[in-house]
Amino acid sequence: LEDGQVRICVDNLGDTVSQEVLDQAFEPFFTTKDVGEGTGLGLALVRRMIEDMSGQISLISPLPSETLGVRAELTLPTAKYEIGYTTEADLDESR
């Protein structure tokens, strides 16, 4: 993407997910599993972590140009690093 963003798409070629589930999937304690089989916190925590990194996450179903599947789409800012070089003398001074 432009403007210092990167997009990651992960596709699952299985069944589709209903719009009702997509609308609630990132809500805390929402689960489609049976009682005792899940807490419904997984996707809520993932969303929080992605947002803490100034990113976004969404689910799309069915896959674009398909009749099945689910896509998780993450958008994150690119990382910026400052490169510094360390010499043996610098390491000796820090010890």
Side-chain angles (χ1 to χ4, degrees), residues 1 5-9 26 43 46-59 71-77:
L1 293 177
Q5 299 282 314
V6 63
R7 180 181 298 150
I8 302 165
C9 295
F26 295 105
L43 287 176
V46 167
R47 181 185 201 176
R48 178 64 187 257
M49 288 187 283
I50 297 296
E51 288 176 350
D52 284 350
M53 293 184 281
S54 301
Q56 296 177 337
I57 184 169
S58 61
L59 297 175
R71 172 175 288 170
E73 187 172 289
L74 293 83
T75 305
L76 294 164

Side-chain angles (χ1 to χ4, degrees), residues 18-67:
S18 71
Q19 188 61 48
E20 180 182 351
V21 170
L22 291 176
D23 291 343
Q24 298 178 60
F26 295 105
E27 296 298 320
F29 306 109
F30 175 78
T31 183
T32 58
K33 295 182 179 180
D34 293 333
V35 174
E37 295 295 316
T39 62
L41 291 175
L43 287 176
L45 289 172
V46 167
R47 181 185 201 176
R48 178 64 187 257
M49 288 187 283
I50 297 296
E51 288 176 350
D52 284 350
M53 293 184 281
S54 301
Q56 296 177 337
I57 184 169
S58 61
L59 297 175
I60 301 162
S61 185
L63 293 172
S65 303
E66 299 287 336
T67 59

